[in-house]
Amino acid sequence: MAMKIRAYILIMTGAIVLPIAIFAAVALETLLRSERDAALSTMKEAADATALLVDNELSSAEAALRVLAQSPHLASGDMENFYRHARTADRGDGGRTILFLASGQQVINTVAPPDYVRTRTRDVIESGRTVVSGLIKGAVQQIPVTTINVPVPIDGGRRYVLGSVFSPDYFSRVIDRRAMPASWKLSVVDRAGYFIARSSEPARLGHAANPLLMRAAAGRQQGMVRFDTRSGVDAYHAFTRSPMSGWIVTVSVPAAEIDGVARRAVMLVAIGMLAALLVAAGAAALFGRRLVNATHGAAASATALGHGGLPPRPRTGIAEFDHLQRCIGEAGRKLAAAEGERSALLQREQEARALAEEQVRIRDDFLAMLSHELRNPLSGIVGAVQLLRMDSPRPELKSQAQDILMRQSRHLTRIVDDLLDLARLARGKIKLDMGPVELSAVVESTVAALRMAGRVQHTLTTRLEPAWVRADRTRIEQVVTNLVTNALKYTPPGGAIEIALEAHAGKGQAVLTVLDDGVGIAPDLMPRLFDIFVQGKVSLDRSQGGLGIGLSLVRSLVTLHGGSIDAASAGTGQGSVFTLRLPLLEHALVDTPAAAAPARTAPATVLLVEDNEDARRMLAAHLEASGYSVLEADNGIDGLALAHEARPGLAILDIGLPGLDGYQLAARLRADAATRPMRLIALTGYGQASDRERALEAGFDAHLVKPVKFDELARELAGA
């Protein structure tokens, strides 16, 4: 069932007020306990301080008696002079000094009763320590007094007891020194439960204290109890027991006074909180009424907008609702624009979905192409290997199989290199070895290599001008080879291909153009031509081949050189033209013949350390066929031992070796004077620039990447 906004306002107010009220109740209760605990703590502190005050008086009397005990008059038995000395220890009218013999006979004064004197004297003599009495009645005046007694041993075996006698009001005057509220009652009760001192009702001195107090204090050092006084007043009683005398000091305060202070503080807080809640509830009711009216106005405006009319714009006095009214007025004008935007968003979403589907299709096509491109050379390699394993293959078949193995191995290597280069470019890991390069020489050598490989079955013409650029020669050869190979691939045999190189000094550019009359480029493919894995439609036999990564790799490498590349085509079957632009060097360089390097004699013995048995055997066989004596090892430790034993002039070391890796083995060989002159060649599958740098830093003279190219290996073996 739907509720009106007023009901929601009330529920919201209740939801706010109820937790506050609960929290306030808990807080007030906590405050009440805190105030009560603070007052009770003050009582305990007052009792402790009073007990300390009483103990200070007793300790002072004890100290005075111990000083008297050292009197030379007492030691010599001069009681007349000792009496005058003892009077200096009197504590006014309320405190007298007495000297007892060991038998209890009073030598100096007579205040305490004889029986008590004899008993107390015996206790002091036997225990040898100070004894504080409870309340007793004097032998002469029969008034209640308290005593403190100190043993006095004298040379020659004589024993005395010195005592101080305190009058009934002595300790009352002591506790009166405490500044206490008038309603607070201080009392001192002896161990037998009789009042020694009272801050009020002096007539009760010598009377028994409340049994409830004595029961509560039995066996306890301090505590707090609550019970009615003899006059019927509910009171809190804080007590503490004197460590010196065992007397009980109590502070009694009416419970109404303790609780009343806390209740008054809590009441003030409660009244303030209640007033705040009432004000909050009134404000919520007032705002709720205005909110309801404003909501009705907004509903009327929305209804008018739904019917296509101009909504009214009443002022509600609430900024948010006034803003809502203005927004509703503007909403009508924006509905048409919003609908158009929604349609555009829907179209973009459909285009994005189509693009995602296209990317998935391109990925699947690439995986299919990669599978096809790998299977073809692998099929040729497997077939050639099977042919070579035949018992007596014909010489021409053997030569053909060897050519297939070499050609297909190079094809696989090129595929792997392209994929690795693309991955390095994507991660920004490619480093260029920049230097002056004559671009026409690069084009000529590329075309010559393709002709020698039998790849050119077309009418291929070149128009080349000298053009010096700053580039990485290996990468620029890769770019040119890719462009020319692309033209050969997509131009049918017998077609025409033209390569032109011009140096535009005015523009500071070297412009290389590769033009063909082949299959051309479809218009829908042109915007994505340089994207990765993008190719035109190919036949089922994939006679044109490729993975669709060549042009993407070309664009990335050209961009790294600060150049640009673009393509143009009139359409399918109309041929295509690719234009490469690179910055010209400001000053052209002239090739000068290098000084002839002194010939170096290749070592006769080569140490080969490789843990892959097949790779080691094939490379060893190639080296032996080239006239080298080969020492083989499949781990770093054995390789190190062979190097020290045979002292070969050159070593080819794999990097990933068991025992000692290639870097560690090279370091060991360089550290030993006997093997330090040895030429070291690193052979590894890690081909990045950082891998080459690390190999050279480890002591290698050269760094070759697997699969090794034997012409490069031959140059390194010869020390070129």
Side-chain angles (χ1 to χ4, degrees):
M1 179 178 179
M3 291 189 297
K4 293 184 178 181
I5 193 169
R6 186 176 291 107
Y8 282 109
I9 293 288
L10 292 175
I11 293 175
M12 181 181 66
T13 303
I16 295 173
V17 170
L18 184 59
I20 293 177
I22 293 174
F23 173 77
V26 174
L28 291 176
E29 176 63 23
T30 302
L31 178 60
L32 180 62
R33 286 199 303 269
S34 178
E35 291 290 338
R36 182 186 294 113
D37 291 344
L40 296 178
S41 177
T42 302
M43 289 177 58
K44 292 178 181 177
E45 291 172 0
D48 292 341
T50 303
L52 181 60
L53 187 61
V54 171
D55 281 357
N56 284 341
E57 290 294 327
L58 294 174
S59 297
S60 177
E62 180 188 16
L65 293 177
R66 290 194 180 276
V67 170
L68 282 178
Q70 303 301 320
S71 172
H73 302 300
L74 179 61
S76 63
D78 185 358
M79 295 302 169
E80 181 178 354
N81 287 323
F82 178 73
Y83 175 78
R84 285 194 294 271
H85 191 186
R87 291 197 62 183
T88 63
D90 287 349
R91 312 179 71 80
D93 294 337
R96 300 295 182 86
T97 303
I98 309 172
L99 176 64
F100 303 97
L101 294 175
S103 62
Q105 181 181 352
Q106 299 167 357
V107 178
I108 297 300
N109 194 7
T110 303
V111 178
D115 292 341
Y116 172 81
V117 169
R118 284 191 293 272
T119 302
R120 184 61 62 196
T121 301
R122 186 171 54 253
D123 292 342
V124 173
I125 294 298
E126 290 177 355
S127 65
R129 59 183 178 83
T130 300
V131 175
V132 179
S133 74
L135 195 66
I136 61 174
K137 286 188 178 182
V140 178
Q141 300 178 358
Q142 293 295 308
I143 59 174
V145 295
T146 55
T147 66
I148 179 170
N149 302 277
V150 176
V152 183
I154 301 297
D155 294 339
R158 289 177 297 161
R159 291 183 294 177
Y160 296 99
V161 173
L162 273 173
S164 279
V165 180
F166 301 96
S167 64
D169 58 347
Y170 182 85
F171 287 104
S172 295
R173 293 197 303 271
V174 170
I175 64 176
D176 283 343
R177 299 176 197 169
R178 297 278 300 159
M180 306 288 288
S183 58
W184 290 32
K185 308 299 182 184
L186 277 172
S187 303
V188 181
V189 182
D190 68 5
R191 292 185 295 272
Y194 294 96
F195 286 114
I196 294 174
R198 292 269 291 180
S199 61
S200 63
E201 300 181 277
R204 293 190 55 82
L205 293 179
H207 290 253
N210 196 315
L212 295 175
L213 173 64
M214 300 310 296
R215 283 200 295 270
R220 298 173 61 185
Q221 194 65 27
Q222 60 181 359
M224 175 74 67
V225 291
R226 182 176 180 177
F227 55 81
D228 291 347
T229 64
R230 295 184 185 276
S231 57
V233 178
D234 182 17
Y236 288 100
H237 306 271
F239 65 88
T240 185
R241 190 178 294 276
S242 165
M244 184 174 183
S245 63
W247 298 345
I248 300 171
V249 179
T250 65
V251 178
S252 301
V253 181
E257 180 177 342
I258 296 295
D259 297 337
V261 174
R263 287 197 184 95
R264 283 193 297 273
V266 170
M267 185 60 67
L268 288 175
V269 175
I271 291 173
M273 190 169 293
L274 179 60
L277 291 176
L278 290 176
V279 171
L286 177 62
F287 173 72
R289 186 179 303 110
R290 296 184 63 181
L291 183 62
V292 168
N293 295 335
T295 305
H296 288 163
S301 298
T303 302
L305 179 64
H307 288 86
L310 184 62
R313 299 179 61 183
R315 295 187 59 82
T316 63
I318 301 176
E320 288 80 0
F321 275 96
D322 289 343
H323 179 66
L324 175 62
Q325 294 286 3
R326 290 194 298 271
C327 292
I328 292 176
E330 296 173 3
R333 295 188 298 272
K334 295 184 178 180
L335 281 177
E339 181 63 26
E341 184 179 355
R342 187 188 68 83
S343 300
L345 288 174
L346 179 61
Q347 182 177 357
R348 286 199 294 270
E349 186 273 335
Q350 291 173 345
E351 291 174 354
R353 181 181 298 177
L355 178 61
E357 292 174 351
E358 177 67 11
Q359 294 294 334
V360 172
R361 184 192 65 77
I362 290 174
R363 180 203 63 192
D364 294 342
D365 289 348
F366 166 73
L367 293 176
M369 287 187 291
L370 179 61
S371 175
H372 186 277
E373 288 297 313
L374 292 177
R375 286 181 183 275
N376 279 342
L378 287 175
S379 297
I381 290 173
V382 172
V385 170
Q386 290 176 344
L387 179 63
L388 291 175
R389 290 174 64 88
M390 295 175 62
D391 293 338
S392 56
R394 296 196 304 274
E396 63 273 15
L397 292 179
K398 182 177 180 180
S399 176
Q400 183 179 4
Q402 292 171 343
D403 292 342
I404 290 172
L405 285 174
M406 182 62 67
R407 185 168 56 254
Q408 297 303 335
S409 297
R410 289 175 178 172
H411 183 47
L412 281 176
T413 301
R414 187 169 61 254
I415 291 175
V416 173
D417 287 344
D418 284 350
L419 290 172
L420 291 176
D421 284 343
L422 197 63
R424 295 187 192 111
L425 282 167
R427 298 195 304 270
K429 297 295 185 180
I430 281 190
K431 294 184 180 179
L432 301 180
D433 185 12
M434 304 293 281
V437 175
E438 209 288 289
L439 194 55
S440 63
V442 173
V443 177
E444 288 175 348
S445 64
T446 299
V447 172
L450 290 172
R451 289 186 188 277
M452 291 180 62
R455 299 287 300 278
V456 181
Q457 302 175 13
H458 311 73
T459 301
L460 194 155
T461 60
T462 58
R463 293 185 295 104
L464 307 176
E465 296 180 3
W468 284 89
V469 297
R470 181 173 175 79
D472 183 324
R473 182 181 182 90
T474 301
R475 294 303 181 182
I476 287 300
E477 287 180 351
Q478 188 177 359
V479 169
V480 173
T481 301
N482 206 308
L483 292 177
V484 177
T485 302
N486 222 40
L488 296 173
K489 184 189 305 182
Y490 289 100
T491 301
I497 298 174
E498 180 180 346
I499 303 174
L501 175 62
E502 298 177 343
H504 295 280
K507 296 181 179 180
Q509 291 182 333
V511 181
L512 176 67
T513 303
V514 180
L515 184 146
D516 67 71
D517 61 356
V519 299
I521 303 172
D524 61 334
L525 184 63
M526 186 64 72
R528 300 179 291 111
L529 185 64
F530 290 96
D531 291 347
I532 188 172
F533 306 144
V534 172
Q535 282 187 312
K537 293 183 179 179
V538 295
S539 59
L540 185 62
D541 62 358
R542 289 195 52 79
S543 58
Q544 291 154 346
L547 295 174
I549 62 175
L551 290 179
S552 177
L553 187 61
V554 164
R555 181 180 62 178
S556 299
L557 291 174
V558 170
T559 301
L560 289 176
H561 283 80
S564 64
I565 186 167
D566 55 63
S569 175
T572 304
Q574 302 298 314
S576 59
V577 56
F578 287 83
T579 304
L580 167 66
R581 294 178 175 85
L582 292 173
L584 276 173
L585 280 178
E586 294 182 1
H587 303 287
L589 302 178
V590 179
D591 286 330
T592 57
R600 296 173 62 180
T601 303
T605 303
V606 176
L607 171 63
L608 176 59
V609 185
E610 165 66 70
D611 61 335
N612 185 292
E613 185 177 358
D614 292 339
R616 188 179 69 253
R617 287 183 177 178
M618 292 302 298
L619 184 54
H622 179 81
L623 292 171
E624 289 172 350
S626 300
Y628 294 96
S629 175
V630 181
L631 302 174
E632 297 184 42
D634 60 1
N635 62 82
I637 296 176
D638 292 347
L640 183 63
L642 280 175
H644 283 97
E645 179 182 347
R647 307 285 176 84
L650 184 142
I652 301 174
L653 310 179
D654 185 22
I655 296 300
L657 293 171
L660 293 174
D661 62 30
Y663 298 128
Q664 296 169 330
L665 180 55
R668 295 278 187 92
L669 293 174
R670 291 300 187 212
D672 192 331
T675 56
R676 189 177 301 138
M678 186 184 303
R679 183 173 175 79
L680 303 180
I681 298 176
L683 184 60
T684 175
Y686 303 101
Q688 298 189 26
S690 59
D691 300 317
R692 175 181 176 82
E693 293 173 2
R694 184 179 178 187
L696 297 179
E697 290 173 358
F700 285 98
D701 297 291
H703 178 270
L704 299 181
V705 180
K706 297 178 181 180
V708 65
K709 297 177 181 179
F710 290 111
D711 53 347
E712 294 182 6
L713 179 60
R715 287 196 298 270
E716 295 298 338
L717 290 173

